[in-house]
Amino acid sequence: MNMTIDLHTHSIASGHAFNTIDEMAKYAADKGVTHLGITEHAPMMPGTCHEFYFQNLHIVPREKFGVKLFLGAEVNILNDLGEVDLSNGLLKRLDVVIASMHTPCMKPNTVEYNTNAVINAMKNPYINIIGHPDDSRYPLDYEKIVMASKEYNTLLEINNASLNPKGPRKNAAQNDELILQLCKEHKVPVILGSDAHIGNRICNFENLMPLIEKIEFPMELIVNTSFDKLEKYLTNLI
C-alpha cells in the first residue's frame, strides 16, 4: 500500500539529521507525500535545538512544494510522572507532539516504572503520539499501554527505523508484533512512522509491511491511510 502521510521525521535542526526543512519538503513532494510531520528532538537530547526554535516555528509556512507540513517536537519522557522537556504552554502551540524514551534523557528502569512513564505522558492532552514504544531496553506492560492508548486517544507508533538491524533498539520486531496483535484484538488504531533523519527515507515503511501482513493487521486501524482518520488525534489542530 502506498501511504502518503508521515509525521515522524527530523531536519538538520535535530543535530544528527541531514536535510533542511525545505529539502525534506522537496523530497516528500517528489515521492508523492501529501502530509509531512517534522518533529525535531526536544532540548534534552544532546546536540539538538534550543526551545527558542520551537517557539519560533509559527513563522514557517505550513505548505511547501504542495506538501502540507506539521511542525512539532519529539519530546523526551523524563520520569515515571510522564514529564517531558518542553512546557505545556509551548506544546499546545505545536502542530504535532511525539513523546519518546531515549537513553540520554531517561535511564531504563523497571517494567512498572517505564509503563507509568508512558501512560502518564499519554494523559497529557498535548501529546499526540508515543514514539517507538518497542525497545526492550525500556520494558513495558504492552497490555496496559494499548488500553491506555485507547482511553487517552494517544496513538502508539510502529516505527520503521526500529526494525533497522543496525539500529540500537532491542527486540523491536517481537515487541512490535505483540503491540500490533493487542491493537488488533482491542481495535486500537496505530500510526506508522519512518523516523527519517534524511529526506530519502520519508514515508519509508518497508521494514514494517511484512510484519503487518504477517499478522493480517487491519489497514483500517492504520491512521496514515487517510488524513480523515488521523486528524482527530491531532488535538493541537482542533
Side-chain angles (χ1 to χ4, degrees), residues 46-190:
T48 193
C49 43
H50 191 273
E51 69 177 55
F52 293 164
Y53 177 91
F54 301 99
Q55 293 172 358
N56 206 35
L57 279 174
H58 65 93
I59 71 171
V60 183
R62 290 321 198 252
E63 185 169 325
K64 290 177 178 285
F65 307 105
V67 177
K68 295 186 184 301
L69 297 181
F70 298 85
L71 305 181
E74 183 180 12
V75 297
N76 298 289
I77 300 174
L78 303 177
N79 52 45
D80 63 338
L81 300 178
E83 294 176 325
V84 298
D85 51 343
L86 289 175
S87 70
N88 278 356
L90 184 48
L91 294 182
K92 69 181 181 181
R93 294 163 54 186
L94 304 179
D95 302 334
V96 59
V97 178
I98 301 170
S100 305
M101 294 181 290
H102 294 111
T103 53
C105 307
M106 186 183 106
K107 292 182 179 179
N109 211 305
T110 64
V111 171
E112 181 180 14
Y113 187 100
N114 298 333
T115 300
N116 287 338
V118 170
I119 291 175
N120 284 325
M122 286 180 175
K123 294 177 182 179
N124 186 322
Y126 304 117
I127 290 174
N128 312 112
I129 299 165
I130 297 298
H132 47 76
D134 54 18
D135 186 350
S136 283
R137 293 179 300 175
Y138 293 97
L140 295 170
D141 184 327
Y142 286 118
E143 182 84 33
K144 288 183 178 179
I145 294 296
V146 167
M147 298 314 295
S149 171
K150 190 170 190 175
E151 179 177 358
Y152 299 112
N153 208 46
T154 307
L155 290 164
L156 296 176
E157 178 194 59
I158 309 298
N159 186 292
N160 191 74
S162 292
L163 300 183
N164 183 338
K166 296 181 180 179
R169 295 172 198 148
K170 305 300 183 184
N171 301 317
Q174 299 95 311
N175 293 334
D176 281 331
E177 183 169 349
L178 177 56
I179 293 168
L180 288 168
Q181 289 283 15
L182 288 167
C183 287
K184 179 180 177 181
E185 177 184 346
H186 296 292
K187 297 181 171 56
V188 177
V190 300

Side-chain angles (χ1 to χ4, degrees), residues 16-28:
H16 55 275
F18 299 97
N19 291 111
T20 65
I21 289 176
D22 278 4
E23 290 168 345
M24 294 290 281
K26 185 62 167 63
Y27 270 107

